[in-house]
Amino acid sequence: MITTPEKTNYQETSTYADVMAFIDVAIAGEDAARLISMGKSVDGKDIPVVVLASPMVNSAEEAKASGKPIIYIQGNIHSGEVEGKEALQVLLREILKGDKKHLLDNQILLFAPIYSADSNDKMEQGRRPSQEDSPVETGIRPNSQGWDLNRDGIKMDAIETKALIQNIIVPWDPALFVDLHTTNGVWHGYSLTWAPSYHTAGQKAPYDYTWDKILPEVTDKVLEKDDVHLGPYGYFYTRREGWPIKSIYTYNHHPRYLVNQFGLRNRMAILSEAFAHERLYQRMNSTYAFVREILEFTNKNGQEMLRINAEAEQAAIDDVISDAGKVQKGVRFEMVPTDEPVDNYRIYNYLETTNEKGQTTYLRKPEIITLKDVVNYSAFKPTTSATLPRGYVIPQELTHIVEHLKMHGVTVETLTKNARATGEEYTATALNKSSRPFEQHNMATIEGSFSAAKKRFKKGDYYVDLAQPLANLIFYMLEPESDDGLVTWNFFDEYFQQAGLEEKPVAYPIFKYFELN
């Protein structure tokens, strides 16, 4: 019941075998805990998920029927960022053997401490220089197939992503998803920074609740109980803005990031980023405190969270029913400031100086100061929009698109007779592919335009009625000009090549309908 860092004076992090042995001991003889496998990794390791519930539930169906919120928390999506893996083991110990049993009164918890199971054990020194070899050795960032698991939420190339979406996210339907990371090295003044799920084309209410209520309350509680400072996630650039800085900037909005995808699923999510420059024991402490207070909050407010999520889901469906063909929704976005700046932003102080070339440069000083009214670029506004349809028709030969949508939990139906559709057809004039691979994809950007159209479809073709819970995610994936949709991730490259797009305009094969009969 002692973690590897605790045994080694925080010089080492847990191996896969260490985590599995810890889980086995922790849950032995406990009615409130059981171990399930999310799926197997490429190297054949079971990806462990500990189910914590009182009374215990034996399936996702039982969990949802209980009426309790399900909270999913994962560590080790990037194997060099180890404190989430360790903090979840400590929390497991305290819930089952210590003084945190009450956290199971009103919720069901799913802990996945070692999501990237294979890469965890491929340890070497110097992989995370900003962590200053604390621990001495860590695993590698990509999974065994070479993919970054936190860029895989839409394309689902990785075996781990398929397992997570199909075996956890879709059947268990967590009300809140928490993803535990470490920053890559920005010198802000917080022990941990956080971000909500950026909703973009989704419903705003789950984001608002996370941003306005969960994160402020949790931040205050951690400061009060642990004297640990938490704050908003963001990078800053002294070279661009000089000193003092004027702005901070979050990461982008794409649903390829798992936290962001939850905004399109009408659910809440939180990104946790421990401060890389602190020692491992400090990063474990801040991550532990953050997750502990999140669970205190969800245990107290879970029913309100379920209500907000359900209302957002119904609003997404109602929008389709009432406004299909009438309103525009964003498909490409740019980062903009939030309405309110960050007051009292904590940051290491800097000294302005001149180098040997006479250039102004900045040296970081040891003390932390606070800056007033720092502009927070953590919002997004659409730069390109598309008409919200009632649904989409997919030709029967595009079975790979249909199967991919189903893996995400989308309901796809088959036409039982010939049908006529009225809506919009997109005519592509070019498909521009990046010359530099990203995540083993030469990402694509389409050019073209929509026009009003009527089309006939055959029995056996597929259709997606957008009046369903995942309406916003479907819209983002299937709209051709989306900045993180299936066109972007090369799902239609072969179709456009065979159709001769290089020589002539070609219709995008998925028809956007307003009426289908």
Side-chain angles (χ1 to χ4, degrees), residues 330-351:
V331 293
R332 306 186 72 84
F333 295 83
E334 66 178 0
M335 189 182 295
V336 297
T338 57
D339 292 336
E340 298 292 333
V342 182
D343 193 23
N344 296 323
Y345 181 76
R346 288 173 58 89
I347 188 170
Y348 279 82
N349 200 2
Y350 282 78
L351 172 69

Side-chain angles (χ1 to χ4, degrees), residues 98-337:
D99 62 355
K100 302 292 186 294
K101 288 185 171 64
H102 66 279
L103 292 178
L104 303 184
D105 288 350
N106 303 310
Q107 59 190 342
I108 294 168
L109 307 181
L110 303 179
F111 283 2
I114 190 163
Y115 179 49
S116 186
D118 291 346
S119 296
N120 182 83
D121 287 4
K122 297 169 184 176
M123 295 191 190
E124 286 184 9
Q125 188 172 354
R127 285 241 169 83
R128 299 276 302 181
S130 62
Q131 293 174 196
E132 302 170 12
D133 292 335
S134 180
V136 176
E137 294 185 346
T138 65
I140 60 175
R141 184 179 180 91
N143 80 334
S144 293
Q145 298 162 283
W147 282 301
D148 185 330
L149 296 178
N150 202 34
R151 307 294 185 271
D152 197 46
I154 292 295
K155 58 188 178 70
M156 287 200 293
D157 283 326
I159 194 170
E160 293 89 344
T161 314
K162 291 185 176 76
L164 172 62
I165 298 293
Q166 292 182 277
N167 299 330
I168 301 297
I169 303 307
V170 172
W172 290 83
D173 189 19
L176 175 68
F177 173 98
V178 183
D179 205 7
L180 305 176
H181 293 252
T182 311
T183 59
N184 290 327
V186 65
W187 281 89
H188 53 68
Y190 299 97
S191 291
L192 181 148
T193 54
W194 40 249
S197 179
Y198 295 120
H199 61 92
T200 56
Q203 305 305 120
K204 198 167 181 288
Y207 164 88
D208 285 343
Y209 188 84
T210 308
W211 183 264
D212 295 335
K213 188 161 184 181
I214 300 178
L215 292 171
E217 181 169 324
V218 167
T219 296
D220 289 345
K221 289 292 185 182
V222 171
L223 182 60
E224 173 189 333
K225 295 181 181 180
D226 304 90
D227 196 27
V228 169
H229 290 270
L230 314 181
Y233 177 88
Y235 284 81
F236 56 85
Y237 306 96
T238 53
R239 289 183 182 180
R240 179 194 303 173
E241 296 188 342
W243 181 257
I245 61 159
K246 312 297 187 300
S247 311
I248 59 171
Y249 301 82
T250 192
Y251 71 107
N252 71 40
H253 60 285
H254 294 139
R256 69 188 68 163
Y257 298 91
L258 293 174
V259 165
N260 284 344
Q261 188 176 129
F262 268 70
L264 298 179
R265 289 178 172 270
N266 306 305
R267 299 294 182 263
M268 300 176 193
I270 295 173
L271 172 71
S272 169
E273 294 272 2
F275 182 50
H277 301 286
E278 290 189 329
R279 310 303 293 171
L280 174 57
Y281 74 91
Q282 293 170 300
R283 302 197 311 271
M284 283 177 58
N285 181 58
S286 59
T287 302
Y288 160 81
F290 186 47
V291 176
R292 181 200 69 215
E293 289 308 312
I294 289 172
L295 294 180
E296 293 283 4
F297 182 96
T298 54
N299 194 44
K300 180 175 64 176
N301 299 287
Q303 291 304 313
E304 184 178 23
M305 294 169 62
L306 287 175
R307 176 182 60 77
I308 289 167
N309 287 347
E311 289 174 355
E313 185 174 283
Q314 189 59 51
I317 294 170
D318 291 344
D319 287 349
V320 171
I321 294 171
S322 62
D323 294 334
K326 303 174 186 176
V327 299
Q328 299 269 307
K329 288 173 67 74
V331 293
R332 306 186 72 84
F333 295 83
E334 66 178 0
M335 189 182 295
V336 297

Side-chain angles (χ1 to χ4, degrees), residues 4 14 22 28 75 92 102 228 265 295 304 340 374 380 409 442 499 513:
T4 297
S14 302
F22 187 98
L92 180 63
H102 66 279
V228 169
R265 289 178 172 270
L295 294 180
E304 184 178 23
E340 298 292 333
V374 173
F380 299 89
N442 294 90
Y513 74 83

Side-chain angles (χ1 to χ4, degrees), residues 237-503:
Y237 306 96
T238 53
R239 289 183 182 180
R240 179 194 303 173
E241 296 188 342
W243 181 257
I245 61 159
K246 312 297 187 300
S247 311
I248 59 171
Y249 301 82
T250 192
Y251 71 107
N252 71 40
H253 60 285
H254 294 139
R256 69 188 68 163
Y257 298 91
L258 293 174
V259 165
N260 284 344
Q261 188 176 129
F262 268 70
L264 298 179
R265 289 178 172 270
N266 306 305
R267 299 294 182 263
M268 300 176 193
I270 295 173
L271 172 71
S272 169
E273 294 272 2
F275 182 50
H277 301 286
E278 290 189 329
R279 310 303 293 171
L280 174 57
Y281 74 91
Q282 293 170 300
R283 302 197 311 271
M284 283 177 58
N285 181 58
S286 59
T287 302
Y288 160 81
F290 186 47
V291 176
R292 181 200 69 215
E293 289 308 312
I294 289 172
L295 294 180
E296 293 283 4
F297 182 96
T298 54
N299 194 44
K300 180 175 64 176
N301 299 287
Q303 291 304 313
E304 184 178 23
M305 294 169 62
L306 287 175
R307 176 182 60 77
I308 289 167
N309 287 347
E311 289 174 355
E313 185 174 283
Q314 189 59 51
I317 294 170
D318 291 344
D319 287 349
V320 171
I321 294 171
S322 62
D323 294 334
K326 303 174 186 176
V327 299
Q328 299 269 307
K329 288 173 67 74
V331 293
R332 306 186 72 84
F333 295 83
E334 66 178 0
M335 189 182 295
V336 297
T338 57
D339 292 336
E340 298 292 333
V342 182
D343 193 23
N344 296 323
Y345 181 76
R346 288 173 58 89
I347 188 170
Y348 279 82
N349 200 2
Y350 282 78
L351 172 69
E352 184 177 315
T353 185
T354 303
N355 64 18
E356 64 277 7
K357 296 180 181 179
Q359 300 167 321
T360 299
T361 187
Y362 300 93
L363 300 177
R364 189 179 60 257
K365 299 173 73 174
E367 73 267 20
I368 294 174
I369 63 170
T370 57
L371 300 178
K372 292 284 189 181
D373 296 331
V374 173
V375 177
N376 186 6
Y377 281 84
S378 291
F380 299 89
K381 72 174 185 180
T383 57
T384 301
S385 297
T387 306
L388 177 70
R390 177 58 195 249
Y392 300 90
V393 181
I394 304 171
Q396 55 191 276
E397 58 267 23
L398 295 183
T399 53
H400 69 293
I401 302 296
V402 171
E403 292 308 311
H404 194 79
L405 292 172
K406 288 180 177 179
M407 279 197 295
H408 274 283
V410 175
T411 299
V412 183
E413 300 175 85
T414 304
L415 290 174
T416 57
K417 60 181 181 180
N418 294 345
R420 291 187 295 180
T422 301
E424 290 183 344
E425 182 173 67
Y426 187 85
T427 301
T429 55
L431 188 70
N432 305 308
K433 295 172 65 176
S434 171
S435 60
R436 179 179 296 181
F438 173 75
E439 290 299 303
Q440 304 177 43
H441 284 255
N442 294 90
M443 299 176 76
T445 304
I446 202 167
E447 296 180 25
S449 60
F450 282 103
S451 58
K454 295 181 179 181
K455 292 193 73 170
R456 293 180 179 271
F457 294 94
K458 300 175 294 184
K459 176 182 176 181
D461 287 335
Y462 302 99
Y463 71 99
V464 179
D465 185 347
L466 211 57
Q468 60 176 289
L470 295 182
N472 294 319
L473 179 61
I474 300 164
F475 176 79
Y476 215 102
M477 286 197 291
L478 292 184
E479 281 299 313
E481 294 182 331
S482 166
D483 57 17
D484 207 30
L486 299 188
V487 168
T488 305
W489 290 107
N490 309 121
F491 280 73
F492 294 93
D493 285 10
E494 184 178 351
Y495 168 83
F496 283 121
Q497 181 180 11
Q498 292 179 353
L501 179 58
E502 292 184 0
E503 289 80 35

Side-chain angles (χ1 to χ4, degrees), residues 5-24:
E6 291 168 330
K7 292 176 184 177
T8 63
N9 197 28
Y10 299 91
Q11 296 299 301
E12 297 178 16
T13 186
S14 302
T15 64
Y16 175 81
D18 292 340
V19 173
M20 297 305 294
F22 187 98
I23 291 172
D24 286 344

